[in-house]
Amino acid sequence: MISANARNAIRAKLLESVPDLKEVYASLPPAEASTVKPFAVLAGSEDSGGSPWKGLRENVKVELYVSRSATGELDRLAKIMTDALDKGLLKPDGGEAWVSLYLGTSGQADAIDEARDAIKRELQFALLSPQPLTEPVQITSDPWLTALGAWSKSLLGPEWSAYSGAWPESGATPAVLWRITGIDVRTVGSAAYEVQKKMSAFFRAGDADREHAAILKLLEGMGRSVKIPLDATKRQFLRVSEPKMSLQADVLASAPSPQGPLTVTLIRRTMRPAEEAPLMKTIQYQSKMR
């Protein structure tokens, strides 16, 4: 079944854009030849529903009925309806906005409705309504997170585990979790730019004293270390900037976009690719001065 919001949106658009339409029905009217035509009937498709990108989708069939004595009107009105709805924004009163996309006809030929003395054509549309995400999506596969986690583990010791983005279901302790809380790109002259990523750490240990000791150890390590290796074999490093400890931070990792007790900004400068240009092979100069 098509939702009330989707039905209201497409009905209002059709009545506004196609003045010749007498009515847009939610269901087929009684089989009477005297029913005023042309009219349209809205029907939902069987595969309507949600989608993985957190949006709503309604597949709608618009059945256009015209009088059998005015078959030439079928093509004209169908084109007006398609032009009005295809790639259009529909805004019903008191409901969410929808984007309408034309999917073509139903695949079957125009049908004769003897009881209503009409000929009908089925047009198919998809109505899309993006919805806000209901939960934050954490980055878990960023190589900077992996590098920072490896560096943290080497400093804290082999008994510690390091994770990126989200806690594992096993809930191993002691452990540190790093999350990306912000990304910025800054231009450095015409030949280079810097990528800056703000990281936030969360800790799980046997008690608060052990967690605080780990925070202080990482903080002191960042104070000593100017760089953290991203790929030592390729001599790629991340510059450490502004490591900070905050005991008032919200340490509940399940909260949306939380700020951990330890934060740091990592920076990496990248050279812009040189633009190819014609090479100058020789220069010739002849002076006319005497």
Side-chain angles (χ1 to χ4, degrees):
M1 292 289 293
I2 182 174
S3 69
N5 280 330
R7 181 173 60 250
N8 292 340
I10 200 167
R11 179 180 183 275
K13 186 65 175 179
L14 286 176
L15 291 177
E16 174 190 355
S17 305
V18 192
D20 290 338
L21 277 181
K22 305 306 180 183
E23 185 55 88
V24 177
Y25 296 100
S27 60
L28 191 61
E32 298 175 359
S34 59
T35 303
V36 181
K37 295 176 279 292
F39 64 85
V41 178
L42 303 182
S45 182
E46 64 278 358
D47 59 349
S48 298
S51 67
W53 47 268
K54 299 291 184 183
L56 298 179
R57 175 189 175 103
E58 296 277 2
N59 290 339
V60 182
K61 289 191 299 183
V62 180
E63 300 174 346
L64 173 62
Y65 286 77
V66 302
S67 174
R68 291 181 62 180
S69 61
T71 55
E73 290 290 277
L74 197 61
D75 291 333
R76 185 181 71 85
L77 293 179
K79 185 178 187 309
I80 296 175
M81 293 170 64
T82 301
D83 292 343
L85 293 177
D86 189 30
K87 301 179 181 63
L89 183 63
L90 311 180
K91 294 182 179 180
D93 294 336
E96 65 268 23
W98 298 81
V99 175
S100 175
L101 300 176
Y102 177 55
L103 304 179
T105 57
S106 63
Q108 56 185 341
D110 299 339
I112 301 296
D113 188 323
E114 298 284 355
R116 295 170 180 81
D117 191 30
I119 183 171
K120 77 168 183 176
R121 178 177 298 176
E122 292 185 359
L123 307 175
Q124 298 184 93
F125 296 89
L127 302 186
L128 307 177
S129 178
Q131 302 294 307
L133 294 174
T134 57
E135 57 187 20
V137 178
Q138 294 295 335
I139 300 172
T140 58
S141 58
D142 188 275
W144 292 29
L145 282 175
T146 303
L148 185 57
W151 178 86
S152 301
K153 183 176 175 62
S154 66
L155 196 66
L156 294 176
E159 71 275 12
W160 279 78
S161 299
Y163 302 104
S164 300
W167 291 112
E169 294 183 2
S170 61
T173 58
V176 56
L177 167 71
W178 284 100
R179 282 180 174 173
I180 297 176
T181 59
I183 301 177
D184 192 19
V185 178
R186 187 172 68 90
T187 299
V188 184
S190 60
Y193 63 92
E194 284 184 346
V195 177
Q196 301 181 1
K197 298 183 182 181
K198 188 174 182 180
M199 308 291 193
S200 189
F202 304 86
F203 297 83
R204 281 183 178 173
D207 52 61
D209 288 340
R210 193 173 186 186
E211 290 183 4
H212 291 163
I215 295 171
L216 289 173
K217 193 168 187 178
L218 289 183
L219 185 64
E220 293 172 357
M222 290 176 179
R224 295 190 305 267
S225 300
V226 178
K227 296 180 179 180
I228 291 177
L230 177 63
D231 190 333
T233 59
K234 296 181 180 180
R235 300 187 60 80
Q236 296 177 351
F237 297 89
L238 304 171
R239 191 166 82 250
V240 176
S241 176
E242 300 181 343
K244 294 180 181 180
M245 176 181 178
S246 174
L247 296 179
Q248 285 74 40
D250 180 3
V251 298
L252 295 177
S254 60
S257 301
Q259 185 72 31
L262 179 61
T263 61
V264 65
T265 299
L266 300 182
I267 304 172
R268 184 164 185 263
R269 180 172 295 191
T270 302
M271 302 302 295
R272 297 182 186 276
E275 296 182 1
E276 296 185 1
L279 298 177
M280 186 178 296
K281 184 176 182 180
T282 61
I283 300 177
Q284 293 183 350
Y285 173 74
Q286 181 175 1
S287 176
K288 295 183 179 180
M289 296 179 64
R290 300 301 182 187

